[in-house]
Amino acid sequence: MITLLDYGAGNVRSVRNAIKRLGYEVRDVSCPADIIKAEKLVFPGVGSFGSAMHKLADLGYIEPLLQHLQADKPFLGICLGLQTLFDSSEESPGVPGLGIIPGTVSRFNNPALSVPQIGWNGINQRQDSGLFTNYQGEKLYFVHSYRAMQNKANQEWVLTTTNYGDEFISGVQKGNVAAFQFHPEKSGEAGLTLLGNFLGGRTVSNRKADTVPQDTRLAKRIIACLDVRSNDEGDLVVTKGDQYDVRAEGKVRNLGRPVDLARRYYEEGADEITFLNITAFRDFPLKDQPMIEVLERTSEQVFVPLTIGGGIREYTASDGQHYTALDVAAEYFRSGADKISIGSDAVDTVEEFLRIGQKSGQSSIEQISHVYGNQAVVISVDPRRVYCDSPLPAKHSIKTNFPGPNGEEHCWYQCTVKGGREGRDLDALTLAKVCEKLGAGEILLNCIDKDGTNSGFDLELINLIRNNVSIPVIASSGAGRVEHFSEVFAGTKADAALAAGIFHRQEVPIAAVKAHLRECKVEVR
């Protein structure tokens, strides 16, 4: 029996599903005594260091957790579950950690890096361990802004290290107590192998590894996007628009069922999967939202990160029940989502911020990032080009290599809402910069002009945004062939590239994209 310490963090369902997939029964901790009785304890942590420690204290879990650790009983921490083992974290000054491992967890401080680190990176083994039985050195999935560093006092704990700017601790182990900064439950079959080794009680040698450490490198991510909506018959289907128009010959394009396609993309090697809910289901009570079932079923079969977007805002259902954006996000996280994508609501939030000149603390971006961490909040931007005869500094206009219909040499990128049907007097760069300030951790950068054209990504838009924010940027809209992916990574600093229709219709297989990128010397998983 495996005991899972679920204190109300983010996507714990995926850890539970991974354990069940490996053939083990799971029991959730419901009181402090459950920790004391646990034979093998798994502690998945998502969110901020301070909120996690306060929650553990409020639930009365700290003392029994320390007893478990000090007794050297089998323990596996994941992500924040590793960080809480240290003395403290810069993320939450004044909040003590569990103090099992000496050191303070600190934020990545290299200005050349995208922070959070989001994606697939490698590890260097510093100890031999049974946890690595049958592990072939594959990249593993990381998503974090803070990391633990080696020092003289914690050397005996260091199991693995990883490079992202500096070399940081990506795994610890001493006796039966182990923890990973990466997410094994989101690292595909390689991660399941590591998790299975822990669950199976693989022995630990704690000898220094014989391998010579090599710098690890973060991979560029290839993301499959599924636009989900109900068709005219009421079935939930994956569709694809042409400049956001999802109908052909009067009917909604039906490219398959969301769970089936997501599983296919996982098997084909997608690094992440994004669901965009483009039907307004807000009349439903939250428990009856169709995307809840999609996430639950997908997370049972797909062990890479899942993002859900669409309808992440407050609303009142037909039964009179009111839900905040945080309520909606929490339900999606509990159903299997790892990240939440916010679209039109982000435009409204930024307009309000610019009007009052300060944070309100009440926006969906602020609330969700405060509870679940900024790595859990993605901003989906849907801009279109607006051409102009001369520069417009207030709109962050650029001189373009693709003149407008009347020969205009400049353009700015207008934010839109309601699926591109309504433009706002707000430019995309202002939106991105304000959202970063409010706590967003990633930008999903679409382009209405490029959507469905198969003509390649809008490199000018991507450079405008990526060169002026420090959080990761996902390039979207326009991919039509494998060369478009190498072009976007060669011509911009995009951290990931997303496509939809060409994957759905199997015009460009994900494996072909990755093979081409390897030929171009682009780091991929």
Side-chain angles (χ1 to χ4, degrees), residues 11 19 56 62 101 132 155 163 198 220 234 242 250 254 297 341 347 447:
N11 183 9
I19 294 172
L56 291 174
I62 290 182
I101 305 176
F132 297 117
Q155 281 299 308
N163 298 92
F198 169 78
K220 297 293 187 180
D242 182 353
N254 181 352
R297 291 176 55 204
S341 177
V347 176
C447 179

Side-chain angles (χ1 to χ4, degrees), residues 9 45 51 69 72 116 132 178 235 312 325 337 344 400 405 417 424 472 484 512:
S51 64
L69 294 165
D72 193 32
F132 297 117
D235 298 321
I312 315 296
S344 294
T400 177
V417 296
R424 295 287 183 84
H484 291 151

Side-chain angles (χ1 to χ4, degrees), residues 277-297:
N277 170 9
I278 60 174
T279 298
F281 293 124
R282 297 186 196 119
D283 288 340
F284 289 73
L286 186 53
K287 65 181 182 299
D288 295 331
Q289 290 284 346
M291 292 305 296
I292 296 293
E293 182 182 359
V294 169
L295 284 169
E296 289 176 347
R297 291 176 55 204

Side-chain angles (χ1 to χ4, degrees), residues 220-268:
K220 297 293 187 180
R221 290 171 282 148
I222 303 302
I223 302 174
C225 180
L226 290 74
D227 292 338
V228 181
R229 64 159 290 162
S230 56
N231 63 12
D232 298 324
E233 289 74 37
D235 298 321
L236 210 59
V237 301
V238 175
T239 188
K240 185 65 188 80
D242 182 353
Q243 297 194 333
Y244 290 27
D245 181 2
V246 300
R247 291 184 178 272
E249 299 179 355
K251 292 187 176 182
V252 173
R253 295 183 181 90
N254 181 352
L255 299 176
R257 296 189 177 277
V259 177
D260 294 339
L261 274 181
R263 182 176 62 248
R264 192 189 97 195
Y265 294 140
Y266 169 60
E267 293 169 351
E268 291 178 0

Side-chain angles (χ1 to χ4, degrees), residues 77-313:
I78 298 173
C79 196
L80 197 59
L82 176 146
Q83 295 184 12
T84 55
L85 295 176
F86 286 79
D87 293 324
S88 59
S89 172
E90 290 181 354
E91 184 177 15
S92 305
V95 177
L98 295 172
I100 296 295
I101 305 176
T104 295
V105 178
S106 56
R107 184 176 171 84
F108 288 112
N109 57 11
N110 186 330
L113 299 176
S114 296
V115 178
Q117 177 189 207
I118 298 179
W120 300 75
N121 207 332
I123 58 173
N124 275 309
Q125 290 181 227
R126 299 299 187 156
Q127 297 180 31
D128 284 331
S129 169
L131 291 173
F132 297 117
T133 302
N134 297 322
Y135 169 65
Q136 302 299 315
E138 300 97 329
K139 291 183 184 291
L140 302 158
Y141 184 75
F142 291 80
V143 52
H144 59 124
S145 298
Y146 294 82
R147 81 286 196 243
M149 302 294 286
Q150 300 179 76
N151 59 46
K152 291 182 179 179
N154 63 31
Q155 281 299 308
E156 62 180 343
W157 278 94
V158 179
L159 175 66
T160 66
T161 60
T162 295
N163 298 92
Y164 191 59
D166 299 321
E167 182 183 36
F168 67 92
I169 299 172
S170 55
V172 298
Q173 184 168 15
K174 186 177 179 183
N176 292 309
V177 175
F180 300 139
Q181 181 61 67
F182 54 86
H183 287 261
E185 80 284 5
K186 287 294 170 182
S187 296
E189 297 304 316
L192 293 179
T193 295
L194 298 180
L195 181 59
N197 288 335
F198 169 78
L199 300 178
R202 296 287 185 182
T203 57
V204 180
S205 65
N206 274 341
R207 292 185 297 106
K208 186 175 180 180
D210 295 330
T211 56
V212 178
Q214 308 223 347
D215 284 355
T216 66
R217 293 193 293 175
L218 185 67
K220 297 293 187 180
R221 290 171 282 148
I222 303 302
I223 302 174
C225 180
L226 290 74
D227 292 338
V228 181
R229 64 159 290 162
S230 56
N231 63 12
D232 298 324
E233 289 74 37
D235 298 321
L236 210 59
V237 301
V238 175
T239 188
K240 185 65 188 80
D242 182 353
Q243 297 194 333
Y244 290 27
D245 181 2
V246 300
R247 291 184 178 272
E249 299 179 355
K251 292 187 176 182
V252 173
R253 295 183 181 90
N254 181 352
L255 299 176
R257 296 189 177 277
V259 177
D260 294 339
L261 274 181
R263 182 176 62 248
R264 192 189 97 195
Y265 294 140
Y266 169 60
E267 293 169 351
E268 291 178 0
D271 298 313
E272 293 184 23
I273 293 169
T274 294
F275 292 107
L276 294 182
N277 170 9
I278 60 174
T279 298
F281 293 124
R282 297 186 196 119
D283 288 340
F284 289 73
L286 186 53
K287 65 181 182 299
D288 295 331
Q289 290 284 346
M291 292 305 296
I292 296 293
E293 182 182 359
V294 169
L295 284 169
E296 289 176 347
R297 291 176 55 204
T298 301
S299 66
E300 292 173 355
Q301 307 171 50
V302 173
F303 296 95
V304 295
L306 304 176
T307 299
I308 175 70
I312 315 296
R313 61 187 309 168

